[in-house]
Amino acid sequence: MSLRVWIGNRTRGEWLLALVLMAASIAMIRTTIANGMDFEVYWRAVHYFLRGEGIYDLSRDGPMVFKYPPWWMPLFLPLGMLPLVSAKLAWGLVEAVSLIVVADRVRRMGVRPTIVLALVILGFAGLWAVHAFVGQISLPLLMLGLLLNPWTSSDRAVPKFALLAWAFSAKVFTLFPLVPWSAGLLRGGRWGRAILVTGVLLFILSLPVLSVTQGHSVP
């Protein structure tokens, strides 16, 4: 299919969705670079880790202490090795890609017409702006949940469960969606294997943080 034919086949809703996603992506990247206070917490935690210091220190960091479980630190290691502005740019790109992927997955799941999806994303512009303002992780978590999509397919259920348990364990409330799928694993006789694989994964990812934590434990 030629580019001209492809362009000609796009509906007004698809063009509106593309424009909304483009504007939202640019705005989120710019906002994350200019602000991103929560992201700076992740970035500083990596620097503490690389200096051999513990990442959980309330006396040093106060309310801006790293609040995620130790198995999340490896995700931020590459970003922490960049200068702060470059790291914020990279994280802003992650946020933008996450929103685009979420919109694509929702559209593939049957949300029609496309103009409705575009208007919903536009209507939540304030939410995306606040999300980017602090540099939070909820949008990438939503993307992971939709990409792995365990509730519509049983293929590779155990590794999907392990990856989602790792991702959603960043926050207590994001673990709740795993409950119904966990019941399905239990009925299928795969619960024990899923727990074992998940435990091994979280333990391995925690080793870097445990190695620099006083007493080799997380307070």
Side-chain angles (χ1 to χ4, degrees):
M1 181 184 295
S2 67
L3 179 61
R4 179 177 297 179
V5 173
W6 184 88
I7 292 175
N9 288 337
R10 299 307 96 190
T11 65
R12 284 179 292 181
E14 289 173 331
W15 283 114
L16 177 61
L17 177 61
L19 289 173
V20 168
L21 289 174
M22 182 183 301
S25 297
I26 293 172
M28 285 197 302
I29 292 171
R30 287 169 55 90
T31 303
T32 302
I33 293 174
N35 303 282
M37 294 83 71
D38 284 357
F39 177 77
E40 289 188 32
V41 173
Y42 320 149
W43 185 83
R44 285 198 305 269
V46 172
H47 283 255
Y48 296 143
F49 166 76
L50 294 176
R51 292 201 299 263
E53 302 177 25
I55 62 174
Y56 302 104
D57 191 336
L58 284 171
S59 62
R60 179 192 61 205
D61 301 321
M64 300 304 286
V65 68
F66 188 78
K67 300 179 179 69
Y68 297 107
W71 49 79
W72 258 80
M73 173 55 66
L75 175 70
F76 299 117
L77 280 174
L79 295 170
M81 295 177 185
L82 297 173
L84 181 56
V85 174
S86 299
K88 285 185 174 182
L89 171 61
W91 190 247
L93 289 170
V94 170
E95 301 278 9
V97 169
S98 297
L99 181 61
I100 292 170
V101 172
V102 167
D104 177 68
R105 298 303 294 184
V106 170
R107 185 172 177 273
R108 289 172 183 266
M109 291 165 64
V111 173
R112 293 291 188 277
T114 305
I115 192 170
V116 172
L117 177 58
L119 292 175
V120 168
I121 293 175
L122 184 62
F124 281 90
L127 179 63
W128 316 131
V130 172
H131 187 87
F133 184 82
V134 295
Q136 259 292 336
I137 64 172
S138 299
L139 195 51
L141 288 184
L142 177 58
M143 176 187 69
L144 287 174
L146 290 174
L147 284 176
L148 294 172
N149 204 6
W151 295 275
T152 59
S153 172
S154 60
D155 295 340
R156 298 183 298 277
V158 170
K160 283 183 177 180
F161 178 86
L163 289 173
L164 279 181
W166 163 77
F168 286 6
S169 64
K171 298 176 180 291
V172 173
F173 295 108
T174 51
L175 280 173
F176 292 166
L178 289 181
V179 173
W181 196 44
S182 301
L185 284 174
L186 182 61
R187 288 194 299 270
R190 293 171 291 182
W191 177 252
R193 187 155 54 97
I195 291 296
L196 177 61
V197 172
T198 303
V200 170
L201 174 66
L202 299 187
F203 175 74
I204 292 174
L205 292 175
S206 299
L207 289 176
V209 173
L210 295 176
S211 68
V212 299
T213 302
Q214 186 177 5
H216 300 285
S217 63
V218 178

